[in-house]
Short mmCIF file of all heavy atoms in Angstrom, two decimals:
data_model
loop_
_atom_site.label_atom_id
_atom_site.label_comp_id
_atom_site.label_asym_id
_atom_site.label_seq_id
_atom_site.Cartn_x
_atom_site.Cartn_y
_atom_site.Cartn_z
N GLU P 1 29.35 233.91 76.30
CA GLU P 1 29.67 233.50 74.93
C GLU P 1 28.44 233.48 74.04
O GLU P 1 28.52 233.75 72.85
CB GLU P 1 30.33 232.12 74.92
CG GLU P 1 31.63 232.04 75.67
CD GLU P 1 31.47 231.89 77.18
OE1 GLU P 1 30.32 231.72 77.67
OE2 GLU P 1 32.48 231.98 77.87
N GLY P 2 27.29 233.08 74.59
CA GLY P 2 26.05 233.04 73.83
C GLY P 2 25.86 231.84 72.94
O GLY P 2 24.76 231.54 72.53
N VAL P 3 26.94 231.15 72.59
CA VAL P 3 26.88 229.95 71.75
C VAL P 3 27.89 228.94 72.27
O VAL P 3 28.84 229.29 72.95
CB VAL P 3 27.20 230.24 70.26
CG1 VAL P 3 26.17 231.15 69.65
CG2 VAL P 3 28.57 230.82 70.10
N ALA P 4 27.65 227.68 71.93
CA ALA P 4 28.61 226.62 72.27
C ALA P 4 28.67 225.65 71.09
O ALA P 4 27.70 224.94 70.80
CB ALA P 4 28.20 225.88 73.54
N GLU P 5 29.79 225.67 70.39
CA GLU P 5 30.03 224.73 69.30
C GLU P 5 31.42 224.15 69.52
O GLU P 5 32.37 224.89 69.78
CB GLU P 5 29.94 225.41 67.95
CG GLU P 5 29.99 224.40 66.82
CD GLU P 5 29.54 224.98 65.48
OE1 GLU P 5 28.88 226.02 65.46
OE2 GLU P 5 29.87 224.37 64.47
N THR P 6 31.53 222.83 69.44
CA THR P 6 32.78 222.18 69.78
C THR P 6 32.98 220.91 68.96
O THR P 6 32.04 220.43 68.33
CB THR P 6 32.81 221.86 71.30
OG1 THR P 6 34.09 221.39 71.66
CG2 THR P 6 31.75 220.85 71.67
N GLY P 7 34.19 220.40 69.00
CA GLY P 7 34.50 219.16 68.31
C GLY P 7 33.98 217.94 69.06
O GLY P 7 33.78 217.97 70.27
N VAL P 8 33.77 216.86 68.31
CA VAL P 8 33.26 215.61 68.87
C VAL P 8 34.36 214.57 68.77
O VAL P 8 34.97 214.40 67.71
CB VAL P 8 32.01 215.13 68.11
CG1 VAL P 8 31.54 213.77 68.62
CG2 VAL P 8 30.89 216.16 68.22
N LYS P 9 34.61 213.87 69.86
CA LYS P 9 35.59 212.80 69.87
C LYS P 9 34.85 211.46 69.80
O LYS P 9 33.97 211.18 70.62
CB LYS P 9 36.44 212.87 71.14
CG LYS P 9 37.50 211.80 71.20
CD LYS P 9 38.36 211.95 72.44
CE LYS P 9 39.44 210.89 72.45
NZ LYS P 9 40.29 211.01 73.63
N GLN P 10 35.21 210.65 68.80
CA GLN P 10 34.62 209.32 68.65
C GLN P 10 35.38 208.35 69.57
O GLN P 10 36.59 208.23 69.46
CB GLN P 10 34.73 208.84 67.20
CG GLN P 10 34.09 209.78 66.19
CD GLN P 10 32.58 209.66 66.15
OE1 GLN P 10 32.02 208.65 66.52
NE2 GLN P 10 31.93 210.70 65.69
N LEU P 11 34.69 207.65 70.44
CA LEU P 11 35.31 206.69 71.35
C LEU P 11 35.22 205.29 70.76
O LEU P 11 34.35 204.99 69.94
CB LEU P 11 34.64 206.75 72.72
CG LEU P 11 34.62 208.14 73.39
CD1 LEU P 11 33.87 208.08 74.71
CD2 LEU P 11 36.03 208.65 73.60
N SER P 12 36.11 204.42 71.20
CA SER P 12 36.18 203.06 70.64
C SER P 12 34.94 202.23 70.95
O SER P 12 34.63 201.28 70.23
CB SER P 12 37.43 202.34 71.15
OG SER P 12 37.38 202.24 72.56
N ASN P 13 34.19 202.57 72.00
CA ASN P 13 33.00 201.79 72.36
C ASN P 13 31.74 202.27 71.64
O ASN P 13 30.63 201.87 71.99
CB ASN P 13 32.80 201.83 73.88
CG ASN P 13 32.59 203.23 74.42
OD1 ASN P 13 32.54 204.19 73.66
ND2 ASN P 13 32.49 203.34 75.73
N GLY P 14 31.89 203.17 70.65
CA GLY P 14 30.75 203.65 69.90
C GLY P 14 30.15 204.94 70.46
O GLY P 14 29.32 205.57 69.82
N ARG P 15 30.56 205.30 71.64
CA ARG P 15 30.08 206.54 72.24
C ARG P 15 30.83 207.73 71.67
O ARG P 15 31.85 207.57 71.01
CB ARG P 15 30.27 206.52 73.77
CG ARG P 15 29.36 205.55 74.47
CD ARG P 15 29.65 205.54 75.97
NE ARG P 15 28.64 204.82 76.70
CZ ARG P 15 27.60 205.38 77.32
NH1 ARG P 15 27.48 206.69 77.32
NH2 ARG P 15 26.72 204.66 77.94
N VAL P 16 30.32 208.92 71.93
CA VAL P 16 31.01 210.14 71.55
C VAL P 16 31.15 211.01 72.80
O VAL P 16 30.37 210.89 73.75
CB VAL P 16 30.26 210.93 70.44
CG1 VAL P 16 30.21 210.12 69.15
CG2 VAL P 16 28.86 211.33 70.87
N ARG P 17 32.16 211.87 72.79
CA ARG P 17 32.41 212.77 73.91
C ARG P 17 32.67 214.16 73.37
O ARG P 17 33.35 214.32 72.36
CB ARG P 17 33.61 212.31 74.73
CG ARG P 17 33.89 213.23 75.91
CD ARG P 17 35.06 212.75 76.74
NE ARG P 17 34.73 211.47 77.34
CZ ARG P 17 35.61 210.52 77.60
NH1 ARG P 17 36.88 210.70 77.30
NH2 ARG P 17 35.23 209.40 78.15
N PHE P 18 32.13 215.14 74.05
CA PHE P 18 32.42 216.53 73.68
C PHE P 18 32.39 217.40 74.92
O PHE P 18 31.76 217.07 75.93
CB PHE P 18 31.46 217.04 72.60
CG PHE P 18 30.00 216.84 72.86
CD1 PHE P 18 29.23 217.84 73.43
CD2 PHE P 18 29.38 215.65 72.50
CE1 PHE P 18 27.88 217.66 73.66
CE2 PHE P 18 28.03 215.45 72.72
CZ PHE P 18 27.27 216.46 73.30
N LYS P 19 33.13 218.51 74.84
CA LYS P 19 33.30 219.42 75.97
C LYS P 19 33.13 220.86 75.49
O LYS P 19 33.44 221.18 74.35
CB LYS P 19 34.70 219.30 76.56
CG LYS P 19 35.10 217.92 76.99
CD LYS P 19 36.57 217.95 77.43
CE LYS P 19 37.09 216.57 77.73
NZ LYS P 19 38.48 216.60 78.16
N TRP P 20 32.69 221.72 76.40
CA TRP P 20 32.65 223.15 76.13
C TRP P 20 32.70 223.90 77.46
O TRP P 20 32.48 223.33 78.51
CB TRP P 20 31.42 223.53 75.31
CG TRP P 20 30.12 223.53 76.06
CD1 TRP P 20 29.50 224.58 76.66
CD2 TRP P 20 29.27 222.39 76.30
NE1 TRP P 20 28.33 224.19 77.26
CE2 TRP P 20 28.17 222.85 77.06
CE3 TRP P 20 29.33 221.04 75.97
CZ2 TRP P 20 27.14 222.00 77.47
CZ3 TRP P 20 28.32 220.20 76.39
CH2 TRP P 20 27.25 220.67 77.11
N ARG P 21 32.99 225.18 77.37
CA ARG P 21 33.02 226.06 78.54
C ARG P 21 32.06 227.21 78.32
O ARG P 21 31.94 227.73 77.23
CB ARG P 21 34.42 226.62 78.78
CG ARG P 21 35.40 225.55 79.23
CD ARG P 21 36.71 226.13 79.70
NE ARG P 21 36.63 226.88 80.94
CZ ARG P 21 36.53 226.35 82.16
NH1 ARG P 21 36.46 225.06 82.30
NH2 ARG P 21 36.49 227.11 83.22
N SER P 22 31.39 227.57 79.39
CA SER P 22 30.49 228.73 79.37
C SER P 22 30.76 229.59 80.59
O SER P 22 31.06 229.07 81.66
CB SER P 22 29.02 228.28 79.40
OG SER P 22 28.67 227.63 78.21
N SER P 23 30.67 230.90 80.41
CA SER P 23 30.78 231.85 81.52
C SER P 23 29.37 232.28 81.88
O SER P 23 28.74 233.05 81.15
CB SER P 23 31.63 233.05 81.11
OG SER P 23 32.92 232.62 80.75
N LEU P 24 28.87 231.75 83.01
CA LEU P 24 27.46 231.92 83.35
C LEU P 24 27.26 233.05 84.35
O LEU P 24 28.05 233.21 85.28
CB LEU P 24 26.90 230.62 83.91
CG LEU P 24 26.97 229.43 82.96
CD1 LEU P 24 26.46 228.17 83.63
CD2 LEU P 24 26.17 229.71 81.70
N PRO P 25 26.15 233.79 84.19
CA PRO P 25 25.86 234.86 85.16
C PRO P 25 25.43 234.25 86.50
O PRO P 25 24.73 233.24 86.54
CB PRO P 25 24.70 235.62 84.50
CG PRO P 25 24.08 234.65 83.55
CD PRO P 25 25.17 233.71 83.13
N THR P 26 25.89 234.85 87.57
CA THR P 26 25.50 234.43 88.93
C THR P 26 25.26 235.70 89.74
O THR P 26 25.30 236.80 89.22
CB THR P 26 26.60 233.58 89.60
OG1 THR P 26 27.77 234.39 89.74
CG2 THR P 26 26.91 232.34 88.80
N ASN P 27 25.06 235.53 91.04
CA ASN P 27 24.88 236.70 91.89
C ASN P 27 26.22 237.35 92.24
O ASN P 27 26.26 238.34 92.96
CB ASN P 27 24.11 236.33 93.16
CG ASN P 27 24.80 235.25 93.96
OD1 ASN P 27 25.82 234.71 93.54
ND2 ASN P 27 24.24 234.93 95.10
N LEU P 28 27.32 236.81 91.73
CA LEU P 28 28.62 237.45 91.89
C LEU P 28 28.73 238.60 90.89
O LEU P 28 27.91 238.75 90.00
CB LEU P 28 29.74 236.42 91.65
CG LEU P 28 29.68 235.16 92.52
CD1 LEU P 28 30.74 234.17 92.06
CD2 LEU P 28 29.88 235.52 93.97
N ASP P 29 29.75 239.39 91.01
CA ASP P 29 29.91 240.54 90.11
C ASP P 29 30.56 240.17 88.79
O ASP P 29 30.84 241.05 87.97
CB ASP P 29 30.75 241.63 90.79
CG ASP P 29 30.00 242.30 91.93
OD1 ASP P 29 28.75 242.25 91.92
OD2 ASP P 29 30.66 242.87 92.81
N TYR P 30 30.85 238.91 88.58
CA TYR P 30 31.51 238.48 87.35
C TYR P 30 30.93 237.13 86.92
O TYR P 30 30.43 236.38 87.75
CB TYR P 30 33.03 238.37 87.57
CG TYR P 30 33.40 237.46 88.71
CD1 TYR P 30 33.61 236.11 88.51
CD2 TYR P 30 33.53 237.96 89.99
CE1 TYR P 30 33.92 235.26 89.56
CE2 TYR P 30 33.86 237.12 91.05
CZ TYR P 30 34.06 235.78 90.83
OH TYR P 30 34.37 234.94 91.87
N PRO P 31 31.01 236.82 85.63
CA PRO P 31 30.51 235.52 85.15
C PRO P 31 31.34 234.36 85.73
O PRO P 31 32.55 234.46 85.88
CB PRO P 31 30.69 235.59 83.64
CG PRO P 31 30.84 237.04 83.33
CD PRO P 31 31.44 237.67 84.54
N THR P 32 30.66 233.28 86.07
CA THR P 32 31.31 232.10 86.65
C THR P 32 31.63 231.10 85.55
O THR P 32 30.73 230.67 84.83
CB THR P 32 30.38 231.45 87.69
OG1 THR P 32 30.13 232.40 88.72
CG2 THR P 32 31.01 230.21 88.29
N PRO P 33 32.92 230.73 85.40
CA PRO P 33 33.27 229.75 84.37
C PRO P 33 32.82 228.34 84.76
O PRO P 33 33.05 227.90 85.89
CB PRO P 33 34.80 229.83 84.29
CG PRO P 33 35.23 230.50 85.54
CD PRO P 33 34.07 231.25 86.11
N VAL P 34 32.18 227.67 83.82
CA VAL P 34 31.71 226.30 84.02
C VAL P 34 32.16 225.46 82.83
O VAL P 34 31.93 225.84 81.69
CB VAL P 34 30.17 226.23 84.15
CG1 VAL P 34 29.70 224.81 84.40
CG2 VAL P 34 29.68 227.16 85.26
N GLY P 35 32.81 224.35 83.10
CA GLY P 35 33.20 223.41 82.06
C GLY P 35 32.21 222.27 82.00
O GLY P 35 31.84 221.70 83.04
N TYR P 36 31.75 221.94 80.82
CA TYR P 36 30.79 220.85 80.62
C TYR P 36 31.44 219.74 79.81
O TYR P 36 32.23 219.99 78.90
CB TYR P 36 29.54 221.35 79.88
CG TYR P 36 28.68 222.24 80.72
CD1 TYR P 36 28.83 223.61 80.66
CD2 TYR P 36 27.74 221.71 81.58
CE1 TYR P 36 28.04 224.45 81.44
CE2 TYR P 36 26.95 222.53 82.36
CZ TYR P 36 27.11 223.90 82.28
OH TYR P 36 26.34 224.71 83.06
N ARG P 37 31.06 218.50 80.14
CA ARG P 37 31.52 217.34 79.37
C ARG P 37 30.34 216.39 79.22
O ARG P 37 29.63 216.10 80.19
CB ARG P 37 32.66 216.63 80.10
CG ARG P 37 33.19 215.45 79.31
CD ARG P 37 34.31 214.77 80.03
NE ARG P 37 33.72 213.94 81.08
CZ ARG P 37 34.40 213.36 82.04
NH1 ARG P 37 35.68 213.53 82.14
NH2 ARG P 37 33.80 212.62 82.94
N VAL P 38 30.15 215.92 78.00
CA VAL P 38 29.07 214.97 77.71
C VAL P 38 29.67 213.70 77.14
O VAL P 38 30.50 213.75 76.24
CB VAL P 38 28.04 215.58 76.72
CG1 VAL P 38 27.06 214.51 76.24
CG2 VAL P 38 27.31 216.73 77.35
N ASN P 39 29.25 212.57 77.68
CA ASN P 39 29.58 211.25 77.16
C ASN P 39 28.25 210.66 76.70
O ASN P 39 27.36 210.44 77.52
CB ASN P 39 30.22 210.41 78.26
CG ASN P 39 30.83 209.13 77.74
OD1 ASN P 39 30.33 208.55 76.79
ND2 ASN P 39 31.89 208.69 78.36
N PHE P 40 28.10 210.44 75.39
CA PHE P 40 26.80 210.14 74.79
C PHE P 40 26.86 208.88 73.95
O PHE P 40 27.79 208.69 73.18
CB PHE P 40 26.38 211.34 73.93
CG PHE P 40 25.11 211.16 73.16
CD1 PHE P 40 23.91 210.97 73.80
CD2 PHE P 40 25.13 211.21 71.77
CE1 PHE P 40 22.73 210.81 73.07
CE2 PHE P 40 23.97 211.06 71.04
CZ PHE P 40 22.77 210.86 71.69
N ASP P 41 25.85 208.02 74.10
CA ASP P 41 25.71 206.81 73.29
C ASP P 41 24.63 207.06 72.24
O ASP P 41 23.44 207.09 72.56
CB ASP P 41 25.31 205.63 74.18
CG ASP P 41 25.22 204.31 73.43
OD1 ASP P 41 25.08 204.33 72.19
OD2 ASP P 41 25.28 203.27 74.09
N PRO P 42 25.03 207.27 70.97
CA PRO P 42 24.04 207.59 69.93
C PRO P 42 23.08 206.45 69.61
O PRO P 42 21.97 206.69 69.12
CB PRO P 42 24.88 207.92 68.70
CG PRO P 42 26.30 207.79 69.07
CD PRO P 42 26.39 207.30 70.46
N GLU P 43 23.46 205.21 69.90
CA GLU P 43 22.57 204.07 69.64
C GLU P 43 21.47 203.99 70.70
O GLU P 43 20.30 203.84 70.39
CB GLU P 43 23.36 202.77 69.60
CG GLU P 43 24.32 202.66 68.42
CD GLU P 43 23.58 202.61 67.09
OE1 GLU P 43 22.54 201.92 66.99
OE2 GLU P 43 24.05 203.27 66.14
N ALA P 44 21.86 204.05 71.97
CA ALA P 44 20.91 203.93 73.08
C ALA P 44 20.23 205.25 73.41
O ALA P 44 19.25 205.27 74.15
CB ALA P 44 21.63 203.40 74.32
N LEU P 45 20.75 206.36 72.87
CA LEU P 45 20.25 207.71 73.17
C LEU P 45 20.28 208.00 74.67
O LEU P 45 19.33 208.54 75.24
CB LEU P 45 18.85 207.92 72.59
CG LEU P 45 18.74 207.86 71.07
CD1 LEU P 45 17.29 208.02 70.64
CD2 LEU P 45 19.60 208.94 70.42
N THR P 46 21.38 207.62 75.31
CA THR P 46 21.58 207.89 76.73
C THR P 46 22.99 208.45 76.93
O THR P 46 23.83 208.35 76.04
CB THR P 46 21.43 206.62 77.58
OG1 THR P 46 22.39 205.66 77.14
CG2 THR P 46 20.03 206.03 77.49
N GLY P 47 23.22 208.97 78.09
CA GLY P 47 24.56 209.47 78.38
C GLY P 47 24.62 210.19 79.70
O GLY P 47 23.70 210.11 80.51
N LYS P 48 25.74 210.88 79.92
CA LYS P 48 25.95 211.65 81.14
C LYS P 48 26.47 213.02 80.77
O LYS P 48 27.29 213.17 79.88
CB LYS P 48 26.98 210.97 82.03
CG LYS P 48 26.45 209.85 82.88
CD LYS P 48 27.38 209.65 84.07
CE LYS P 48 26.86 208.61 85.01
NZ LYS P 48 25.72 209.06 85.80
#
């Protein structure tokens, strides 16, 4: 894809969550699909 832009979901605890998918090159003959999810606290600047 070369880019990842996605919507942000505001959570009730002040955190935000967003997801995206990327097809990454591997040693296989085809790109491997990977789904990413971030749960981020903008106040503490921490997350997963």
Side-chain angles (χ1 to χ4, degrees):
E1 298 81 6
V3 296
E5 188 165 341
T6 187
V8 176
K9 181 177 182 180
Q10 303 283 337
L11 304 177
S12 60
N13 61 3
R15 291 177 169 262
V16 296
R17 180 179 296 148
F18 51 95
K19 304 175 186 181
W20 74 95
R21 291 190 69 76
S22 292
S23 300
L24 300 177
T26 63
N27 58 356
L28 304 173
D29 290 338
Y30 55 89
T32 300
V34 181
Y36 289 95
R37 182 180 78 191
V38 170
N39 191 327
F40 175 63
D41 183 340
E43 293 295 319
L45 296 177
T46 59
K48 279 202 176 287

